[in-house]
Amino acid sequence: MFLLLLVLTASEPVHSQRVQGQENNGSCVCEVNSNLWAFPAVKYEAVSLLLQSCGDAVRKLQTQPIVVRHTHKLQQKLTGSASAAGAIAARFCCRIVASGCSSGTKPAEMSLPDYVRSHRQTVTTNAELPKLKVMLEDVTTRLQKFQYLKSSGQYNSLHLRQLSQELQQLQQLVSATHLDRPAAETHKIGKELLKLQEDVERMYKDNIFNLESVRERLRFLSNRAQTCRTIPDDFRSSCSQRIMKNISSPLITKLNPFSKSYISGAWGRDTSLSDVGTYWVQPLVSSHKHGNTMRLYKNYEDFMSGRDYRDESVAPSHSHSNAIQGPGTVLYDRVVYFQCYNTPELCSFDLQTKQTKRLKIPDAGINNKFPYCYYTCRDWTDVDLAADHQGIWAIYATEGNHGNIVLSRVDRETFNITHTWKTRLFKRSITNAFMACGVLYATRFVDTYREEVFYAFDTNTGSEDNTLELPLEKVSAGVANLHYNPNDRKLYMYNDGYLLAYQAFF
């Protein structure tokens, strides 16, 4: 006979977290602070492996001629839940114990192969095997509800090692910044990084850790370090008041010059201070995904009257490798910046020299992985671009930042990324975003004719504010592109084929 014993116990005390929720379609919807969760990841991985081993053993017994007697019921204890957090699944023991069948022998613990070989002549009965199979399935089901904790990368020993590498890279960055520009802030960040390193080492030792809370601390320190790095002195010279206070009603409402069917694209005015007032429109074709043509107007009067324009091609065709993908296009000093066709790269096309440059955006999600989505998803908006006096901004999301927005500043002269900030704003939860005076703003859908600017992230301080309530009127539901021009302090929106402009007030 043998004994199949499955024990699932919790090795750490449980601390409940009470949260408020709202009923929605028969379900309770609530927010849970995952920063409070602790999870023995390495032990959980051992649980999963042993569960698989036990399942294989039971399946093998179904094909072996042995006597089976179920002498102990499946014992398990799942403590805590996804909402109550707490420690979960720590030790999992699966063993097969066989007792001798001949008279006078004492029960002895044997391995399954030894037991099978020594009892091949025994009468077969499979009466209990279905019960054991059901028990294994039950344990598997109970474990699956916590599998997302591991698969999401929040509770995983591999991701802990990656976190250590990120921490070391940030320490090197802060040390270099402090040598270049010694300051009390960089010294303080260095001390906080040392404390964080101690916490990570303790997580290795105790095997009880919460990557969510540590990642949040690392993100905050990284943003502060980015702010300490060298930025040109005149970078924010035009921004005496950094946070936007109000937005006017549309000053321009005009259908795009191509057709109402071109519902996705971008438009605006050249951002360069030296520009005399060039206006441009860039429509997308091929299922509102790609484009290769930009229409240019010398001045505002020509734009409004729809005359004296020229069409410039940035690529031979809309499916060329240098073609435009998505509506995140901007124009700065007669250079067009956009996402390159079907790649996580930023392209720049000089309208004078006709030369194209490419810059890889590290880990950026593309092809509708992280588009703007709040009301309905606007396809191909994974990589959005904005322009300011001293740089180009890339707005995107990465898996490493859990789909939250990552903001990178690109130097126009060297065409390299110089600074990167990570926010806590989930990109698929907003309709669009734009940059103004080094501040990232995000919008959300109110109704068909209204948007609202509700969020701001200040790159100067690393602070986030989600309490803004700045209304934006529109003429249709979908927003393909929205960006700010510091020359005239206007916002330009491509609104389902309509071209709208607003005055911004600081």
Side-chain angles (χ1 to χ4, degrees), residues 294-311:
M294 174 175 282
R295 180 160 293 185
L296 300 167
Y297 301 86
K298 293 181 179 179
N299 52 53
Y300 176 75
E301 289 74 18
D302 288 345
F303 165 72
M304 290 303 294
S305 62
R307 67 188 182 203
D308 196 18
Y309 61 82
R310 77 179 193 275
D311 290 338

Side-chain angles (χ1 to χ4, degrees), residues 223-238:
N223 286 344
R224 287 169 58 189
Q226 293 291 335
T227 303
C228 290
R229 297 176 65 196
T230 303
I231 296 179
D233 294 335
D234 59 348
F235 177 61
R236 301 185 179 98
S237 59
S238 63

Side-chain angles (χ1 to χ4, degrees), residues 60 72 101 112 114 133 163 167 181 234 243 247 261 304:
K60 186 174 182 179
H72 194 88
C101 292
L112 177 59
D114 291 338
K133 185 177 180 181
L163 181 66
L167 187 56
R181 301 180 66 184
D234 59 348
I243 302 300
I247 302 171
S261 63
M304 290 303 294

Side-chain angles (χ1 to χ4, degrees), residues 443-455:
T443 63
R444 59 187 172 194
F445 178 87
V446 178
D447 57 39
T448 302
Y449 305 107
R450 288 184 300 166
E451 291 279 312
E452 182 182 66
V453 178
F454 74 99
Y455 172 91

Side-chain angles (χ1 to χ4, degrees), residues 445 447-451 472-477 495 500 502:
F445 178 87
D447 57 39
T448 302
Y449 305 107
R450 288 184 300 166
E451 291 279 312
L472 265 175
E473 297 178 22
K474 55 184 181 176
V475 297
S476 187
N495 181 206
L500 280 66
Y502 313 79

Side-chain angles (χ1 to χ4, degrees), residues 133-192:
K133 185 177 180 181
V134 169
M135 293 175 187
L136 283 171
E137 291 175 350
D138 181 59
V139 173
T140 302
T141 301
R142 290 173 179 267
L143 283 176
Q144 283 177 347
K145 69 172 64 177
F146 305 105
Q147 178 65 20
Y148 78 96
L149 296 175
K150 177 176 179 293
S151 60
S152 66
Q154 296 181 21
Y155 302 88
N156 186 291
S157 55
L158 173 61
H159 285 81
L160 180 59
R161 291 191 293 272
Q162 293 174 343
L163 181 66
S164 296
Q165 295 175 357
E166 294 177 14
L167 187 56
Q168 292 175 1
Q169 293 172 357
L170 182 55
Q171 286 174 325
Q172 295 172 359
L173 172 63
V174 171
S175 298
T177 302
H178 188 70
L179 288 175
D180 183 46
R181 301 180 66 184
E185 176 67 3
T186 53
H187 180 68
K188 183 178 180 181
I189 293 175
K191 293 178 63 176
E192 293 183 39

Side-chain angles (χ1 to χ4, degrees), residues 230-414:
T230 303
I231 296 179
D233 294 335
D234 59 348
F235 177 61
R236 301 185 179 98
S237 59
S238 63
C239 305
S240 57
Q241 301 293 327
R242 295 186 59 77
I243 302 300
M244 196 173 291
K245 302 298 182 183
N246 202 2
I247 302 171
S248 73
S249 298
L251 304 176
I252 300 174
T253 303
K254 187 178 186 294
L255 185 64
N256 79 80
F258 300 95
S259 167
K260 189 176 180 180
S261 63
Y262 290 85
I263 63 172
S264 194
W267 85 285
R269 178 185 171 185
D270 194 315
T271 309
S272 172
L273 287 173
S274 61
D275 185 74
V276 295
T278 302
Y279 284 79
W280 57 273
V281 182
Q282 196 283 302
L284 294 180
V285 297
S286 182
S287 300
H288 317 298
K289 178 181 181 181
H290 303 130
N292 68 313
T293 302
M294 174 175 282
R295 180 160 293 185
L296 300 167
Y297 301 86
K298 293 181 179 179
N299 52 53
Y300 176 75
E301 289 74 18
D302 288 345
F303 165 72
M304 290 303 294
S305 62
R307 67 188 182 203
D308 196 18
Y309 61 82
R310 77 179 193 275
D311 290 338
E312 289 279 356
S313 295
V314 302
S317 69
H318 63 75
S319 59
H320 189 270
S321 60
N322 288 338
I324 298 169
Q325 176 162 315
T329 302
V330 293
L331 178 66
Y332 189 107
D333 196 18
R334 297 177 294 279
V335 178
V336 187
Y337 296 90
F338 54 92
Q339 180 193 347
C340 309
Y341 179 90
N342 206 37
T343 63
E345 293 181 307
L346 174 62
C347 275
S348 69
F349 177 81
D350 193 312
L351 293 173
Q352 293 180 305
T353 65
K354 312 302 181 185
Q355 297 297 311
T356 299
K357 297 179 181 178
R358 304 173 75 97
L359 172 65
K360 182 175 178 58
I361 306 176
D363 304 319
I366 63 169
N367 293 334
N368 293 328
K369 190 170 188 176
F370 298 118
Y372 293 130
C373 264
Y374 186 88
Y375 172 60
T376 55
C377 287
R378 172 64 66 166
D379 289 345
W380 321 117
T381 54
D382 303 81
V383 178
D384 196 8
L385 298 175
D388 215 325
H389 286 320
Q390 294 297 324
I392 303 298
W393 301 90
I395 305 168
Y396 55 100
T398 65
E399 288 186 354
N401 200 37
H402 309 301
N404 296 328
I405 284 182
V406 176
L407 178 66
S408 291
R409 179 181 177 271
V410 179
D411 183 84
R412 293 190 309 107
E413 300 299 328
T414 62

